Amino acid sequence: MIKLRRSDDRGHTKLGWLDSRHTFSFGDYYDPQHVGFSSLRVINEDRVDPAAGFPTHSHSDMEIITYVLEGALAHKDSTGTSSVIRIGDVQRMSAGTGISHSEYNASQTEPVHFLQIWILPDQRGLLPGYEQKVFPLDRSRGNRTLIASKDGRDGSVTVHQDVDVWTARLSAGETVVFNLRPGRHAWSQMARGSVMLNGNVLRVGDGAATNQEEILEVRAVEAAELLMFDLA
């Protein structure tokens, strides 16, 4: 069974410097029908103006993944980490017992466009942690690439939850297949372009919740990029 979450149905926050779309309930946006999916709690698609961003704020007991689509995002946190996240990078921050961080557009002239993803950890009170890895764009063109997993296999960043996060960048007509073990769930999130997912059209910004399906076939209608979450 596949249930679609259309881009235009998402929540929307518009500030002077921020344009954010919320797949699930977040901040002042609340929809009791969309408060998460399995351990997936937040998918925000954020666009931040040049030289602007989120001042220092705190989180706890959350696994936070940042995935940049355009531009560069500067990050600084209370563990002493300071970095810039660019296209092809994946950042994982474990908030654990508590972490404070800021996120700013690293450019004075160009906007930054990124997905911020929150996943509930499998236990509370973990030590805060940070990890950032580069995934060359060519590696996931026409294929799928594991970017996050519980065991950090195949060079992925490690998350404290039973979840595999994949990315795929496809040219028109290319196909990738995801095989799910019995009892698993999946969430698909479109970052660019459009695809057919088991016969359903997904366009940029759309999401899809999948239950009781063991084979997911994704065929690009046009050049496309998506994230696939394989969840317990």
Side-chain angles (χ1 to χ4, degrees), residues 72-92:
L73 186 69
H75 165 96
K76 189 173 183 179
D77 67 45
S78 53
T79 71
T81 301
S82 180
S83 68
V84 175
I85 311 159
R86 306 181 189 277
I87 297 172
D89 295 343
V90 175
Q91 177 210 65
R92 184 269 303 166

Side-chain angles (χ1 to χ4, degrees), residues 6-225:
R6 293 301 185 192
S7 176
D8 289 345
D9 295 334
R10 295 178 295 175
H12 187 206
T13 297
K14 183 70 170 74
L15 306 176
W17 54 273
L18 170 69
D19 190 335
S20 184
R21 300 282 177 172
H22 314 301
T23 295
F24 304 115
S25 297
F26 183 85
D28 292 334
Y29 167 66
Y30 177 70
D31 180 344
Q33 301 300 313
H34 297 94
V35 293
F37 180 73
S38 184
S39 59
L40 187 56
R41 179 62 185 82
V42 167
I43 302 178
N44 286 346
E45 181 182 2
D46 293 340
R47 289 177 169 85
V48 175
D49 287 347
F54 302 92
T56 301
H57 57 285
S58 298
H59 300 285
S60 62
D61 291 319
M62 196 66 67
E63 301 289 288
I64 300 173
I65 295 173
T66 301
Y67 185 89
V68 171
L69 296 169
E70 297 175 282
L73 186 69
H75 165 96
K76 189 173 183 179
D77 67 45
S78 53
T79 71
T81 301
S82 180
S83 68
V84 175
I85 311 159
R86 306 181 189 277
I87 297 172
D89 295 343
V90 175
Q91 177 210 65
R92 184 269 303 166
M93 185 175 71
S94 295
T97 54
I99 195 168
S100 298
H101 74 136
S102 61
E103 297 164 293
Y104 278 87
N105 189 334
S107 172
Q108 299 292 314
T109 58
E110 301 294 330
V112 61
H113 178 200
F114 61 98
L115 298 177
Q116 187 159 102
I117 298 148
W118 294 10
I119 296 171
L120 294 167
D122 56 11
Q123 57 181 307
R124 299 172 64 87
L126 296 166
L127 289 176
Y130 183 92
E131 189 177 14
Q132 182 173 331
K133 291 189 175 182
V134 179
F135 296 85
L137 298 182
D138 288 343
R139 180 175 165 186
S140 56
R141 283 199 174 99
N143 204 343
R144 60 181 194 163
T145 299
L146 185 66
I147 60 172
S149 64
K150 183 173 177 62
D151 57 6
R153 69 187 185 281
D154 298 333
S156 59
V157 299
T158 303
V159 290
H160 297 93
Q161 183 52 266
D162 182 7
V163 56
D164 289 341
V165 185
W166 300 83
T167 186
R169 297 178 177 90
L170 306 174
S171 298
E174 291 184 326
T175 299
V176 293
V177 176
F178 296 89
N179 295 290
L180 303 179
R181 300 190 304 277
R184 302 287 289 185
H185 313 281
W187 183 276
S188 311
Q189 186 67 37
M190 292 300 301
R192 310 180 203 271
S194 61
V195 303
M196 294 291 290
L197 171 68
N198 285 18
N200 297 275
V201 177
L202 294 182
R203 299 181 178 88
V204 61
D206 289 350
T210 303
N211 296 292
Q212 300 175 347
E213 302 269 351
E214 294 185 14
I215 298 176
L216 297 179
E217 182 180 271
V218 179
R219 179 176 60 83
V221 176
E222 59 182 322
E225 181 175 359

